[in-house]
Amino acid sequence: MELRTACSPEDVKHYTTERLRKEFFVEKIFLEDDIKLVYSHIDRIIFGGAMPVNKELKLTAGDELRAEYFLQRRELGIINIGGAGIISADGKEYKIGPRDGMYIGKGTRDIIFKSEDKNNPAKFYMASAPAHMTYPTVRILKDAKAESDSDIEILPVNKKELGTLEESNHRTINKYILPGQVESCQLEMGLTHLEPGSIWNTMPCHTHDRRMEVYLYFDLSENDYVLHLMGEPKETRHIIMRNEQAVISPSWSIHAGAGTKNYTFIWAMVGENQDFDDMDDIENKELL
């Protein structure tokens, strides 16, 4: 598990490009037959990817958590951006197709990731937060109606269309884990897809001092990128993001991006306030 410490905005405005990427940027999320995890001291989020190809992958606590098992004191959100896969939770298997997700509550001991086809492996992107209580494990499916499963509840993704093509930000926000839909202690998670012709995400931009956020950018070709904006509103910086790369956004930082084409990104938030609309909006004219 890779460790990232917190950084002061007073220091960040003096960072070089190399230092900025070292502190906030994650180049490789998905490694064949491996689980890659990053532990950030910012609100204690853990995020990363599991890509089972030729074998099953088991999620373990590692030395960093000083725990018997990964979810002894944590909760976990998962979205699959690859081929069809299977997640086993305490011996029970659940099919998680492309763009399907899952919330797994505190206390689940054994979590195993599998792919249905090694030639089109699943890519399980995950985010985890400290948890103070156990909420029910739920499957969140992109094309499903709410129903009760024999073991766990099945819920549909909550979709909301925003923006316009004229403003280059026509997008659909797919909400997976949010209060009132899938309950959690502090984790929120979803997926936003930009329509063709649109390149801007989260613009006008904002901060939310009550929680931090991590973005995973994907659906980009080899020659495309997203110019990710971060930093204080009057001390903005940028990081070039390519396909399936992630970036950490502290609570004091803006987080927005413009791509060379449309793209998709997963957002995962951890912090004190789960109100999705708890944002400090920043007008475009205020940015420097």
Side-chain angles (χ1 to χ4, degrees):
M1 193 181 301
E2 184 181 339
L3 181 66
R4 300 288 181 96
T5 55
C7 300
S8 164
E10 287 299 312
D11 294 331
V12 171
K13 63 186 180 183
H14 300 293
Y15 285 179
T16 63
T17 298
E18 181 182 7
R19 178 70 186 278
L20 202 68
R21 292 170 70 88
K22 179 181 178 182
E23 299 293 345
F24 302 106
F25 170 75
V26 183
E27 183 175 10
K28 289 284 188 180
I29 289 290
F30 298 106
L31 304 174
E32 184 174 321
D33 286 327
D34 200 1
I35 296 178
K36 166 68 179 288
L37 295 175
V38 176
Y39 185 147
S40 173
H41 279 191
I42 305 174
D43 284 315
R44 300 286 170 175
I45 192 173
I46 295 176
F47 63 96
M51 184 179 172
V53 180
N54 299 300
K55 62 181 182 179
E56 302 175 356
L57 300 175
K58 183 175 182 179
L59 184 63
T60 60
D63 294 336
E64 293 82 1
L65 295 186
R66 298 294 193 270
E68 294 180 38
Y69 53 96
F70 190 87
L71 293 186
Q72 185 177 8
R73 302 183 295 266
R74 287 185 159 267
E75 59 187 355
L76 179 67
I78 303 162
I79 299 176
N80 178 17
I81 68 167
I86 297 170
I87 297 176
S88 173
D90 282 346
K92 297 176 181 178
E93 294 190 344
Y94 305 98
K95 290 188 176 183
I96 304 295
R99 302 298 196 269
D100 290 343
M102 194 168 181
Y103 172 83
I104 304 179
K106 181 176 81 75
T108 303
R109 285 181 169 267
D110 295 317
I111 301 169
I112 297 173
F113 301 101
K114 310 175 187 179
S115 291
E116 291 191 0
D117 180 2
K118 70 176 183 179
N119 295 314
N120 184 24
K123 293 181 178 180
F124 297 107
Y125 181 72
M126 65 188 88
S128 171
H132 60 274
M133 64 176 290
T134 298
Y135 282 102
T137 294
V138 179
R139 287 171 69 199
I140 312 127
L141 308 185
K142 67 179 180 64
D143 297 313
K145 295 181 180 179
E147 60 179 276
S148 295
D149 196 24
S150 58
D151 298 312
I152 61 174
E153 190 174 11
I154 297 175
L155 293 174
V157 172
N158 183 346
K159 300 181 181 181
K160 184 176 183 179
E161 193 172 345
L162 291 175
T164 65
L165 183 59
E166 289 75 16
E167 295 176 309
S168 301
N169 65 357
H170 185 199
R171 62 201 188 276
T172 300
I173 299 178
N174 300 270
K175 300 176 182 178
Y176 286 69
I177 302 170
L178 280 175
Q181 179 178 335
V182 175
E183 298 298 330
S184 68
C185 293
Q186 58 172 314
L187 177 66
E188 296 177 288
M189 199 170 182
L191 179 153
T192 298
H193 174 70
L194 275 70
E195 299 300 325
S198 289
I199 60 170
W200 279 105
N201 75 67
T202 323
M203 184 59 66
C205 61
H206 59 260
T207 60
H208 29 66
D209 207 41
R210 278 66 57 192
R211 59 182 183 264
M212 62 84 69
E213 193 161 7
V214 175
Y215 278 4
L216 171 77
Y217 289 104
F218 62 104
D219 282 349
L220 287 161
S221 70
E222 184 178 356
N223 199 41
D224 286 306
Y225 65 87
V226 175
L227 185 74
H228 178 81
L229 301 178
M230 66 164 296
E232 293 180 293
K234 296 191 182 300
E235 286 284 352
T236 58
R237 300 292 184 268
H238 75 269
I239 298 177
I240 298 293
M241 307 290 304
R242 302 193 185 275
N243 192 46
E244 297 180 357
Q245 295 179 340
V247 61
I248 300 168
S249 177
S251 58
W252 47 263
S253 174
I254 66 167
H255 37 282
T260 54
K261 63 177 288 294
N262 67 314
Y263 52 91
T264 308
F265 67 101
I266 291 176
W267 40 271
M269 295 186 283
V270 171
E272 181 178 14
N273 190 357
Q274 288 186 292
D275 181 0
F276 186 78
D277 293 323
D278 176 20
M279 303 174 188
D280 300 312
D281 294 322
I282 298 161
E283 294 188 40
N284 289 341
K285 64 183 180 181
E286 297 178 6
L287 293 175
L288 292 176

